[in-house]
């Protein structure tokens, strides 16, 4: 026996020396934790320290309160390694246990720190069991119902343990859990779920005075994808609204033109024939005006100068009176109906004998003179024209006596001369253009209808007037119109006058009868009273009742002096005038008709303000003095 | 064992001893007269009160009682942990031999024993334990001021709360015991003999204070456990509670 012991010690000694390691006492066991799952049993675990290089054994000793006996752990294996399990028989509650662990190796033993526990304070139940997750609810509103059971060891039926539950849920792709305390109930409903999502659910429990259990194993739930009923309604509404919207857009598109006119009525803008707005925008003023300037104006050659020889109309103008030529509206209309044909009226030839102021001489070829006069007039116009608002200043002179197109007063807007500057070829087109841009014929609607023999295609005599006006406008002195009275009104009056007078139909110039009136006297209103002198052509001569005659202004003096151009009247015209005159009935409006030999259509000399002279047409409503020739 | 639960008696209420105990614990038992002192003078309200008390199922009463006891135990646990913190725990714990003044009361030590105890006995045990701590709580409250502890104010506050809860619970258990039969009426006397002074020096005071608190914690846990066992046994209509 002794030999065995000696051999053993020798062996140990040899082992020690052979390996060269140092052996020591075992390390102190630490971290003794005890837990009871159901308040009936409990288990203690410890953490062994270093073993000191030698095989170490551990022993747990405990001592109950009020007892001196130190007992050893009854069960080292049930709970695993480094553990001690106390079964029901060895477990007392409301009793303090003093537990310590001893590590023993060949060199000695090491005691751990003692731990005082009371079983009722170390209760940590098992996780809840049979966690079931069910998807309930109708199509649009599903919800989860989670149900579970307490751990089978915990006796909650008798009330020995009271458990409080808690569950957590999250989507599969999320990171954070959503925790829901559930109290003592074993069923829980979860709402507001995402359709088509996959959820993870876990449950845990805790005794009323104890520790939380571990989380139960994960339960999965898949929410079926459902269609929100609300969404379907919204989709219907959106589709319907889009449909209506499209229809609305289509309707607007179809009626865009009408709508545009309804909302934004087009404002007629002035348009001057030959006036290119684009050029104006481009800023090349020379190009702009070059198109308006007739190349042959001022006439460089005086070839047609003999056309300009006219009898001058002696007009006596009282100083205090303006020389106002009462125009025979008809004749004027006739004159203006066709630009070319009204050359007679423009001639201003005062073939009508009288002491009247105006001597008209309806002569000259209609068109030729018209055209020929144009350059002259043009020249005159350019020469004299500074303020082309002459005519426009007299708009107020328009008398209300207008009836049947007769102009009692001197339409101030009348300035037919500018039109003459237009190229002959352009005249019809200009008339067309003028017609297009004519202003409303509100002033002289009857005039336009009755007195004018305009063809329907050129019914708008406004064009003519507006042409005149526009020409004036464009004749390098656009701005000068503005200081004067409103050109619009002037234009209107002008155009209105011209309605009666203008004839957009170049064809009519053949029929044009130059109505010649003779200036009889000048009344108080500075009106030159004229009487038709001669009758023009057949058709147009009835219109000679209108006291519109034009005398062509030849030269304008500086002080609004009118020089009338007189044209020779062709024989034809003379005859016509005579004829007309015979036919017509004098109407003592402001015209006294005297059977006279056909006088040249008196072209009323329009007083041109500021020396502006219309080509052959002068508004005599303004003050001016006419030198007598 | 559970036959005499619904004894229709609320006669054990001592209305004069406490401030409106019935009203605090069981609002349904409040007589129409708010002045409880009238109860002794006029027996009619007592009869009315008896009738009112009978109307409440005992399960609800026990539920409310267990809630109070739960709160009581939580407070005592908090007190113990509060005292254990912030102080160097190097002071020696009390000798094992010293026992709580309530240790003479024979209480069950495990589940089987507990479940074998009858309900009136459980109620009696609970009431006895509860009553045993009325005086020590007062001692503790008075001793807090002299206790050199950083959490002194909160400890004092919690002691106050514990006193209130203890008082309320006591009254409620009195009413409950009236409905549980005569064995429930027995209260074991467990006087506290520690005196009003916990110790002469700070260390002694702390040690004694700690010891008292540990005893209090255990006893409140016992009370809570007993009442919860009673709760689950009394009312079978609410299985979710148990």
């Amino acid at each position: 026996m002794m030999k065995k012991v000696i051999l053993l010690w020798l062996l140990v000694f040899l082992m020690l020396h052979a390996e060269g390691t140092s052996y020591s006492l075992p390390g102190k066991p630490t971290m003794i934790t005890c837990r009871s799952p159901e308040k009936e049993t409990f288990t203690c675990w410890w953490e062994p320290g270093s073993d000191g290089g030698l095989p170490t054994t551990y022993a747990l000793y405990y001592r109950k309160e009020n007892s001196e006996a130190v007992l050893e752990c009854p069960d080292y294996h049930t709970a695993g390694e480094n553990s001690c399990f106390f079964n029901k028989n060895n477990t007392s509650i409301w009793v303090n246990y003093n537990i310590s662990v001893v590590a023993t190796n060949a060199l000695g033993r090491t005691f751990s720190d003692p731990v005082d526990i009371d079983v009722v304070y170390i209760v940590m139940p098992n996780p809840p069991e049979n966690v079931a997750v069910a998807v309930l609810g109708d199509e649009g509103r599903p919800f989860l119902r989670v149900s579970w059971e307490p751990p089978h060891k915990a006796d909650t039926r008798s009330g020995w343990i009271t458990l409080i539950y808690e569950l957590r849920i999250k989507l599969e792709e999320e990171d954070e859990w959503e925790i829901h305390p559930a109290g003592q109930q074993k069923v829980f409903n979860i709402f507001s779920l995402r359709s088509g999502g996959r959820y993870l659910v876990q449950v845990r429990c805790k005794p009323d005075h104890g520790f939380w259990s571990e989380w139960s194993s994960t339960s999965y739930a898949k929410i079926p994808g459902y269609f929100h009923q609300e969404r379907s309604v919204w989709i219907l509404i959106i589709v319907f609204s889009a449909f209506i919207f499209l229809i609305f857009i289509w309707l607007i598109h179809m009626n865009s033109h009408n709508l545009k006119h309804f909302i934004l009525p087009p404002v007629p803008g002035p348009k001057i024939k030959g006036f290119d707005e684009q050029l104006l925008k481009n800023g090349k003023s020379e190009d702009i005006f070059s198109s308006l300037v007739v190349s042959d104006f001022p006439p460089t050659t005086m070839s047609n100068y003999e056309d300009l020889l006219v009898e001058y109309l002696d007009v006596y103008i009282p100083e205090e009176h303006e020389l106002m030529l009462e125009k025979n509206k008809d004749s004027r209309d006739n004159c203006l109906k066709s630009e070319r044909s009204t050359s007679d009226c423009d001639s201003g030839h005062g073939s009508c004998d009288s002491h009247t102021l105006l001597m008209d001489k309806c002569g000259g070829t209609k068109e030729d003179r018209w055209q020929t006069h144009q350059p002259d007039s043009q020249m005159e116009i350019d020469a004299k024209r500074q303020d082309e608002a002459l005519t426009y200043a007299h708009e107020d002179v328009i008398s209300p006596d207008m009836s049947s197109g007769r102009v009692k007063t001197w339409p101030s807007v009348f300035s037919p001369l500018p039109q003459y500057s237009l190229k002959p070829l352009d005249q019809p087109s200009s008339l067309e253009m003028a017609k297009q841009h004519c202003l409303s014929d509100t002033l002289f609607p009857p005039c336009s209808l009755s007195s004018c023999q305009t063809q329907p295609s050129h019914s708008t005599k406004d064009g003519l007037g507006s042409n005149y006006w526009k020409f004036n406008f464009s004749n390098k002195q656009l701005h000068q119109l503005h200081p004067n009275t409103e050109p619009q009104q002037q234009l209107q009056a002008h155009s209105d006058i011209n309605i009666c007078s203008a004839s957009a139909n170049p064809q009519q110039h053949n029929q044009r009868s130059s109505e010649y009136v003779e200036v009889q006297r000048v009344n108080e209103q500075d009106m030159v009273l004229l009487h038709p002198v001669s009758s023009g052509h057949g058709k147009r001569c009835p219109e000679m009742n209108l006291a519109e005659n034009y005398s062509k202004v030849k030269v304008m003096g500086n002080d609004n002096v009118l020089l009338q151009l007189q044209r020779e009247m062709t024989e034809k015209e003379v005859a016509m005038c005579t004829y007309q005159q015979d036919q017509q009935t004098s109407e003592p409006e402001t015209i006294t008709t005297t059977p006279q030999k056909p006088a040249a259509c008196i072209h009323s000399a329009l007083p041109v303000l500021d020396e502006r002279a219309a080509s052959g047409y002068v508004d005599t409503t303004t003050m001016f003095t006419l030198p007598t020739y | 064992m559970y036959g005499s639960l619904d004894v229709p008696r609320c006669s054990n209420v001592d209305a004069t001893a406490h401030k409106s105990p019935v009203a605090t614990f069981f609002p349904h038992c409040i007589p129409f007269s708010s002045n409880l002192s009238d109860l002794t003078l006029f027996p009619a309200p007592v009869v009315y009160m008896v009738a009112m008390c009978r109307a409440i199922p005992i399960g609800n009463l026990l539920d409310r009682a267990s809630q109070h006891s739960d709160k009581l135990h939580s407070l005592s646990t908090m007190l113990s942990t509060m005292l254990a913190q912030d102080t160097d725990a190097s002071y020696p714990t009390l000798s094992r031999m010293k026992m709580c003044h309530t240790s003479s009361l024979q209480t069950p030590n495990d589940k089987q024993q507990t479940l074998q105890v009858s309900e009136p006995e459980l109620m009696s045990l609970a009431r006895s334990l509860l009553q045993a701590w009325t005086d020590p709580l007062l001692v503790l409250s008075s001793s807090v001021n002299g206790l050199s502890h950083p959490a002194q104010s909160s400890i004092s506050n919690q002691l106050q709360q514990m006193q209130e809860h203890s008082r309320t619970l006591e009254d409620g258990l009195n009413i409950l015991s009236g409905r549980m039969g005569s064995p429930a009426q027995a209260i074991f006397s467990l006087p506290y003999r520690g005196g009003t002074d916990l110790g002469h020096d700070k260390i002694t005071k702390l040690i004694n204070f700690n010891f008292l608190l540990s005893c209090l914690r255990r006893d409140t846990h016992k009370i809570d456990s007993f009442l919860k066992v009673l709760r689950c046994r009394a009312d079978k209509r609410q299985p979710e509670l148990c």
Side-chain angles (χ1 to χ4, degrees):
Chain A
M1 186 64 183
M2 280 301 293
K3 286 186 181 175
K4 283 186 183 176
V5 173
I6 291 169
L7 279 174
L8 187 65
W9 279 109
L10 214 59
L11 198 65
V12 169
F13 186 73
L14 285 173
M15 276 168 58
L16 284 174
H17 283 286
E19 294 181 6
T21 58
S22 61
Y23 300 100
S24 63
L25 286 172
K28 191 161 59 169
T30 57
M31 289 193 57
I32 300 173
T33 57
C34 303
R35 286 289 181 262
S36 170
E38 74 285 79
K39 222 192 310 187
E40 299 169 34
T41 67
F42 72 101
T43 311
C44 287
W45 297 271
W46 64 87
E47 190 70 28
S50 65
D51 58 354
L54 294 170
T56 311
T57 58
Y58 296 91
L60 186 142
Y61 297 99
Y62 67 93
R63 191 177 69 82
K64 277 189 179 181
E65 179 184 345
N66 307 328
S67 168
E68 291 293 338
V70 178
L71 303 172
E72 192 176 350
C73 173
D75 189 346
Y76 285 106
H77 307 289
T78 308
E81 197 169 329
N82 296 330
S83 71
C84 178
F85 176 72
F86 294 82
N87 57 7
K88 289 185 186 179
N89 298 330
N90 295 322
T91 305
S92 301
I93 56 172
W94 294 311
V95 171
N96 262 347
Y97 279 77
N98 190 301
I99 296 173
S100 60
V101 176
V102 177
T104 309
N105 66 358
L107 294 180
R109 36 162 84 176
T110 310
F111 285 86
S112 66
D113 292 331
V115 171
D116 282 314
I117 60 158
D118 196 334
V119 178
V120 294
Y121 300 146
I122 55 167
V123 181
M124 179 171 157
N126 293 328
E129 298 170 356
N130 296 342
V131 179
V133 181
V135 180
L136 301 177
D138 50 359
E139 260 306 304
R141 298 172 189 81
F143 65 95
L144 277 180
R145 171 164 288 177
V146 187
S147 60
W148 58 86
E149 288 177 6
H152 65 278
K153 283 188 182 176
D155 184 8
T156 56
R157 293 296 179 127
S158 64
W160 182 240
I161 291 185
T162 306
L163 290 177
I164 300 173
Y165 302 95
E166 187 178 83
L167 63 84
R168 66 179 186 180
I169 185 172
K170 73 162 184 162
L171 275 169
E172 195 171 16
E173 53 268 14
E174 287 180 359
D175 292 333
E176 296 207 355
W177 292 87
E178 187 178 319
I179 295 177
H180 297 276
Q184 292 183 35
Q185 62 200 40
K186 301 181 186 62
V187 177
F188 198 80
N189 295 330
I190 299 177
F191 300 91
S192 301
L193 300 169
R194 187 183 304 179
S195 76
R198 191 153 183 260
Y199 284 93
L200 283 67
V201 181
Q202 285 181 334
V203 191
R204 70 175 183 179
C205 57
K206 165 179 110 75
D208 48 2
H209 309 287
F211 299 99
W212 281 105
S213 70
E214 297 291 335
W215 288 103
S216 67
S217 58
T218 307
S219 298
Y220 297 91
K222 179 82 164 60
I223 311 297
Y226 59 91
F227 195 67
H228 282 283
Q229 290 177 353
E230 300 169 355
R231 272 192 216 158
S232 64
V233 173
W234 278 111
I235 287 175
L236 269 177
I237 290 174
I238 287 170
V239 168
F240 193 62
S241 309
F243 186 63
I244 290 179
F245 184 67
L246 281 174
I247 290 178
F248 187 63
I249 293 292
W250 171 252
L251 283 174
I252 287 180
H253 176 70
M254 294 303 287
N255 296 330
S256 62
H257 187 69
N258 293 338
L259 275 177
K260 203 189 304 180
H261 280 278
F262 181 72
I263 294 172
L264 304 169
V267 176
K271 198 139 191 195
I272 300 174
K273 179 170 177 284
F275 186 77
D276 193 351
E277 293 178 354
Q278 290 300 325
L279 286 179
L280 182 64
K281 287 176 188 175
N282 294 336
K284 299 175 184 175
S285 60
E286 295 181 355
D287 295 339
I288 299 168
F289 300 122
S290 64
S291 62
L292 297 172
V293 177
V294 178
S295 60
D296 57 351
F297 189 86
T300 54
T301 60
M302 301 303 289
S303 59
N304 295 327
Y305 193 74
E306 42 278 4
D307 295 334
L308 300 177
L309 292 177
V310 294
E311 296 179 24
Y312 292 111
L313 194 64
D314 293 334
V315 178
Y316 172 70
I317 303 169
E319 292 183 355
E320 60 273 15
H321 288 102
E322 292 181 11
L323 178 62
M324 300 188 61
L325 302 175
E326 187 176 16
K327 306 178 185 71
N328 188 329
K329 184 93 178 182
D330 292 334
S331 62
R332 187 177 177 180
D333 292 343
N334 296 330
C335 293
L336 292 180
K337 279 176 186 176
S338 62
E339 303 177 37
R340 308 172 190 178
S341 58
T342 53
S343 58
D344 294 335
C345 298
D346 292 341
S347 62
H349 300 305
S351 59
C352 307
D353 61 336
S354 71
H355 63 279
T356 58
L357 297 175
L358 292 178
M359 294 285 289
D360 265 355
K361 185 175 180 184
C362 297
T365 61
K366 309 296 185 290
E367 283 199 43
D368 297 338
R369 291 184 184 255
W370 195 261
Q371 297 174 6
T372 53
H373 284 307
Q374 286 181 359
D376 297 334
S377 58
Q378 181 72 33
M379 177 177 58
E380 294 167 357
I381 293 166
D382 284 342
K384 303 302 175 182
R385 187 171 309 118
Q386 289 184 8
D387 185 3
E388 294 179 301
L390 165 71
T391 62
Y392 310 117
H394 307 301
E395 66 173 51
D396 49 355
V397 188
I398 299 168
S399 73
D401 294 339
M402 299 307 300
S403 64
S404 67
R406 300 184 186 218
V407 178
K408 305 295 171 66
T409 61
W410 304 111
S412 60
V413 300
F414 173 73
S415 67
L417 292 179
Q419 190 166 10
Y420 298 159
S421 63
L422 298 172
K423 295 179 181 175
L425 295 176
D426 297 335
Q427 285 184 356
S429 60
S430 67
L431 283 174
E432 293 286 349
M433 289 169 51
K435 183 176 48 174
Q436 296 168 3
H437 302 289
C438 73
L439 296 177
S440 66
D441 53 354
T442 57
L443 276 184
F444 307 107
C447 168
S448 63
L449 291 175
S450 61
S451 60
C452 304
Q453 287 184 353
T454 59
Q455 291 184 358
S457 60
H458 305 282
S459 59
T460 52
K461 304 189 181 76
D462 298 342
L464 192 62
S466 58
N467 265 340
Y468 298 149
W469 176 81
K470 281 169 189 167
F471 175 82
N472 279 333
F473 232 95
S474 63
N475 209 340
K476 302 174 188 174
Q477 290 168 352
L478 298 166
H479 60 279
Q480 293 190 0
L481 283 174
H482 298 292
N484 300 321
T485 55
E486 297 143 324
Q488 285 290 337
Q489 299 177 6
Q490 297 171 351
L491 175 61
Q492 192 171 21
H494 170 79
S495 61
D496 292 332
I497 300 295
N498 290 328
I499 289 173
C500 311
S501 60
S503 160
N505 187 3
Q507 300 176 3
Q508 279 195 356
H509 75 276
N510 298 324
Q511 299 176 355
R512 174 195 157 279
S513 64
S514 56
E515 196 80 11
Y516 299 101
V517 297
E518 175 179 36
V519 177
Q520 196 171 22
R521 61 181 176 88
V522 178
N523 61 2
E524 296 77 17
Q525 289 96 23
D526 293 334
M527 295 173 60
V528 177
L529 302 179
L530 300 174
H531 60 274
V533 177
S534 63
S535 63
H537 307 279
K539 281 190 180 179
R540 286 173 294 162
C541 281
E543 300 170 356
M544 290 175 63
N545 290 333
L546 300 176
E548 284 273 351
N549 271 333
Y550 306 99
S551 57
K552 196 163 188 178
V553 177
K554 175 161 182 158
V555 177
M556 285 299 302
N558 288 328
D559 298 328
N560 295 339
V561 172
L562 260 179
L563 271 185
Q564 286 190 335
L565 298 175
Q566 293 183 345
R567 286 183 306 169
E568 296 179 355
M569 209 165 102
T570 58
E571 297 180 355
K572 186 179 177 185
E573 286 185 354
V574 171
M576 287 173 62
C577 285
T578 310
Y579 178 68
Q580 285 290 337
Q581 187 164 7
D582 293 338
Q583 286 185 347
Q584 69 180 9
T585 61
S586 61
E587 296 184 2
E589 293 160 342
T590 53
I591 307 168
T592 58
T593 62
T594 59
Q596 303 243 353
K597 61 178 178 181
C601 296
I602 301 177
H603 301 284
S604 57
L606 300 176
V608 180
L609 290 177
D610 299 335
E611 305 174 342
R612 182 181 303 174
S615 60
Y617 293 90
V618 182
D619 189 355
T620 58
T621 57
T622 57
M623 294 288 296
F624 74 99
T625 58
L626 192 68
T628 60
Y629 292 86
Chain B
M1 188 184 300
Y2 314 119
S4 61
L5 276 176
D6 286 344
V7 172
R9 258 192 295 171
C10 293
S11 60
N12 201 29
V13 177
D14 190 1
T16 57
H18 306 277
K19 275 188 186 176
S20 63
V22 180
T24 311
F25 192 83
F26 300 125
H28 291 79
C29 293
I30 299 174
F32 57 84
S33 171
S34 60
N35 191 0
L36 291 173
S37 61
D38 297 337
L39 288 174
T40 57
L41 300 176
F42 303 95
V46 176
V47 175
Y48 177 80
M49 190 174 62
V50 168
M52 288 298 293
C53 284
R54 203 182 311 173
I56 304 173
I58 198 166
N60 287 351
L61 293 176
L62 281 170
D63 188 32
R64 297 187 207 182
S66 58
Q67 288 175 16
H68 279 279
S69 64
D70 190 283
K71 183 66 177 174
L72 197 64
H73 179 67
S74 301
L75 284 171
S76 70
T77 307
M78 224 183 303
L79 265 175
S80 298
T81 54
M82 207 181 295
L83 198 70
Q85 305 169 4
D86 307 328
T87 60
D88 45 352
S90 62
Y91 63 91
T93 57
L94 209 58
S95 165
R96 301 278 181 275
M97 288 297 121
K98 186 165 185 182
M99 297 193 303
C100 298
H101 67 284
T102 56
S103 58
S104 60
L105 189 63
Q106 292 285 332
T107 55
N109 286 329
D110 61 4
K111 173 187 166 186
Q112 277 187 348
Q113 294 178 16
T114 308
L115 294 180
Q116 287 172 358
V117 177
S118 66
E119 291 173 12
E121 282 186 49
L122 282 175
M123 178 58 68
S124 170
L125 290 173
R127 289 181 69 203
S128 305
L129 286 172
L130 197 58
Q131 197 190 37
W133 278 99
T134 308
D135 292 334
L137 275 175
L138 291 172
V139 173
L140 282 172
S141 302
S142 63
S143 304
V144 170
N145 299 330
L147 206 65
S148 60
H149 196 274
Q152 186 173 324
S153 59
S154 58
I155 289 173
S156 173
N157 186 27
Q158 293 201 340
L159 280 173
Q160 288 291 329
Q161 292 183 35
M162 285 189 68
Q163 284 182 345
E164 290 177 9
H165 280 282
S166 171
R167 202 176 301 134
T168 309
L169 183 60
E170 198 170 344
D171 297 332
L173 290 184
N174 287 337
I175 296 174
L176 266 172
S177 64
R179 295 176 65 167
M180 292 173 79
S182 58
Q185 308 293 330
I187 295 182
F188 298 97
S189 173
L190 303 165
Y192 173 69
R193 301 223 165 85
T196 56
D197 192 4
L198 290 180
H200 298 287
D201 55 322
K202 294 182 183 178
I203 303 295
T204 314
K205 274 189 177 179
L206 271 174
I207 294 173
N208 289 334
F209 204 90
N210 198 22
F211 178 74
L212 271 177
L213 282 182
S214 65
C215 289
L216 178 63
R217 186 184 179 195
R218 177 185 293 174
D219 288 340
T220 52
H221 192 275
K222 282 183 184 176
I223 296 167
D224 188 41
S225 299
F226 296 156
L227 289 176
K228 285 178 180 171
V229 170
L230 284 174
R231 175 176 71 176
C232 280
R233 280 202 223 167
D235 200 351
K236 297 299 179 185
R237 289 174 294 174
Q238 298 176 1
E240 63 266 15
L241 289 179
C242 301

